[in-house]
Amino acid sequence: MASLFFFTLVIAAAALVAASSRPSTCLVNLQRPNTNINGSVDMAGNPLTHFDAAMLPLFNSTAGEDWSFDAVSEDGQAAMGLTFSRGTVAGHPLAQRMFFAVVWPNGTRYMESTFAEVSTIQSCKHSTIGTWYNGTSGLNWTFEASKDFSHTHVTVDSPTVKGTYSLKSLAPAVYPNGLQYPNSRGDTLFAPYLYWEESVPVGMMQANLTIRGTPFIYKGMSGRERNWNSFGWADISARWDQARAVVGPFTLIAWIYDSKVDRQTYFSSVLMKDRRVIFRTQSQQKSNSSAYGSFIQTNTGTVHLASEATAVRQLPQSNFTGYALEMINPKTREHWKFEVEFTKCVYWFQAGTSAIIGGHGGTVNGGKVGGKQYTGLASGTAQQVN
């Protein structure tokens, strides 16, 4: 039965591709394991391409792309991360992978990395639909996102995880340079061989999942992004810190990233209010005329990113417990400060031979210097060099 369903899915996708010239149909990109080309592939850096489109229509032995989500519950005590991946993933070339991890309020964690037989991206008039399917294992993960990024719905039906996750956007889709999509001046290349777009920098989420029979039902804050790389993450990345947050009327996304390719640091900080960008910079250099910011690790909290207490192998914990962010616009004389403190570690595992990668949920406080201060929620990821 599984083989018949797989065959039917492939035929249906092929039919959609053949009919894609008709305005009423969807364009379909279908990928299967071990289908690749030799040599280079087009990395699709056109800023006007829709953020949820398949950026790599073809794969070689090194390129990959992700649709990634992270989330934290409204009390900061549960958190989640999930990623739809295709291409070279965690040392597996030409793969279709689902990564999923959660942490409950009592500190119990669950993490799985499963592989699909086929993945499809359907680009339709009003939505984009992604499906990762494995007829042998029974895995079926699907996301459906509105073309304006306002709503995203994930449906899960697998032997270990079942249920739904929904995300309602609170902020505009932005490029690494902080411009709002669509914009021909948006720059999708963040660092050497690393492309990045924030489809939903910040939103409100509802998770209604069952994981091996245990409920994971929470409301809270979340966001999602796109990455596509010429080479595997372990080959191009040294370390990074990334956080998104909602705090009072503000939403923000920030990423500081050390490249393994050129040994340089890359930075992006974007602040939004009322669904529009009010501050953006990629500079950490102090200036009297141009916007700049900072994003530094802090070690004043009690929660480090660390292995689960029951793990057989205990990795070195993070040497930080949160972040301090500053955003300064000399022209308008505006200055914002925010402090993120981890409340939960979602996952913490070895990434390649030289780094450890983790997910975090937490709280945030801050606002405009001299103005009203707020508290809110934050989530994100980090990679630390061993």
Side-chain angles (χ1 to χ4, degrees):
M1 180 64 70
S3 298
L4 176 60
F5 185 86
F6 176 72
F7 179 75
T8 303
L9 179 63
V10 173
I11 294 298
L16 281 170
V17 172
S20 62
S21 61
R22 298 200 299 269
S24 61
T25 60
C26 304
L27 291 171
V28 177
N29 179 275
L30 182 149
Q31 297 293 337
R32 292 184 292 271
N34 303 316
T35 54
N36 69 305
I37 64 170
N38 293 321
S40 61
V41 294
D42 182 4
M43 295 306 292
N46 183 349
L48 299 182
T49 299
H50 191 270
F51 281 8
D52 282 328
M55 297 300 179
L56 302 178
L58 296 170
F59 291 87
N60 58 16
S61 61
T62 63
E65 64 176 331
D66 301 321
W67 290 254
S68 301
F69 302 68
D70 53 76
V72 62
S73 64
E74 57 190 354
D75 64 357
Q77 293 304 305
M80 180 180 74
L82 68 96
T83 301
F84 294 78
S85 299
R86 56 198 333 209
T88 295
V89 183
H92 296 265
L94 314 171
Q96 329 289 310
R97 187 190 75 164
M98 277 305 311
F99 171 80
F100 177 67
V102 301
V103 59
W104 282 270
N106 65 2
T108 300
R109 300 182 201 173
Y110 177 80
M111 185 175 74
E112 70 173 29
S113 184
T114 52
F115 291 86
E117 293 172 331
V118 61
S119 65
T120 60
I121 298 295
Q122 301 180 54
S123 298
C124 308
K125 182 177 181 180
H126 299 295
S127 66
T128 303
I129 304 168
T131 301
W132 269 239
Y133 174 77
N134 189 320
T136 302
S137 67
L139 175 147
N140 191 353
W141 284 74
T142 298
F143 71 83
E144 183 168 3
S146 59
K147 277 297 180 76
D148 64 358
F149 309 105
S150 61
H151 293 84
T152 307
H153 189 75
V154 176
T155 302
V156 190
D157 186 7
S158 76
T160 52
V161 185
K162 296 182 184 298
T164 61
Y165 156 92
S166 59
L167 173 61
K168 183 178 180 181
S169 179
L170 295 176
V174 295
Y175 304 89
N177 61 7
L179 294 175
Q180 296 180 204
Y181 173 87
N183 194 309
S184 60
R185 295 185 294 114
D187 188 359
T188 62
L189 183 64
F190 179 53
Y193 304 126
L194 170 57
Y195 296 79
W196 168 41
E197 294 168 338
E198 281 294 321
S199 307
V200 182
V202 180
M204 301 309 295
M205 71 88 179
Q206 168 73 61
N208 188 2
L209 301 165
T210 301
I211 304 165
R212 292 192 180 275
T214 301
F216 187 86
I217 302 173
Y218 298 98
K219 293 181 180 180
M221 189 276 299
S222 183
R224 67 180 184 90
E225 64 196 37
R226 291 297 320 281
N227 295 111
W228 62 104
N229 309 340
S230 304
F231 299 93
W233 284 97
D235 297 320
I236 64 174
S237 310
R239 61 160 297 277
W240 77 69
D241 293 292
Q242 188 180 47
R244 69 181 82 247
V246 57
V247 50
F250 302 107
T251 55
L252 65 90
I253 179 74
W255 195 5
I256 188 165
Y257 173 92
D258 289 353
S259 172
K260 191 182 284 187
V261 179
D262 63 1
R263 308 296 178 184
Q264 299 297 308
T265 297
Y266 295 86
F267 173 67
S268 173
S269 181
V270 184
L271 183 66
M272 295 150 284
K273 184 180 179 181
D274 299 327
R275 299 180 185 273
R276 65 182 183 88
V277 174
I278 61 171
F279 174 90
R280 62 185 180 93
T281 189
Q282 289 187 280
S283 175
Q284 297 181 83
Q285 184 67 42
K286 290 184 178 181
S287 170
N288 293 323
S289 57
S290 301
Y292 65 95
S294 63
F295 183 14
I296 62 173
Q297 297 175 345
T298 58
N299 193 25
T300 56
T302 59
V303 176
H304 292 261
L305 305 184
S307 301
E308 192 171 10
T310 57
V312 174
R313 183 189 178 195
Q314 291 291 315
L315 297 170
Q317 69 178 16
S318 70
N319 50 22
F320 55 98
T321 61
Y323 303 116
L325 298 91
E326 287 197 62
M327 305 170 182
I328 301 164
N329 188 336
K331 288 184 178 180
T332 62
R333 297 184 179 180
E334 292 175 297
H335 184 181
W336 298 267
K337 286 186 177 182
F338 301 95
E339 294 183 357
V340 173
E341 186 170 299
F342 301 156
T343 54
K344 280 291 184 289
C345 174
V346 190
Y347 54 88
W348 187 244
F349 62 83
Q350 193 73 41
T353 60
S354 61
I356 306 172
I357 188 170
H360 53 82
T363 58
V364 59
N365 63 79
K368 195 171 185 179
V369 174
K372 184 176 180 179
Q373 301 299 289
Y374 303 90
T375 60
L377 298 169
S379 65
T381 64
Q383 180 164 295
Q384 175 174 292
V385 177
N386 283 359

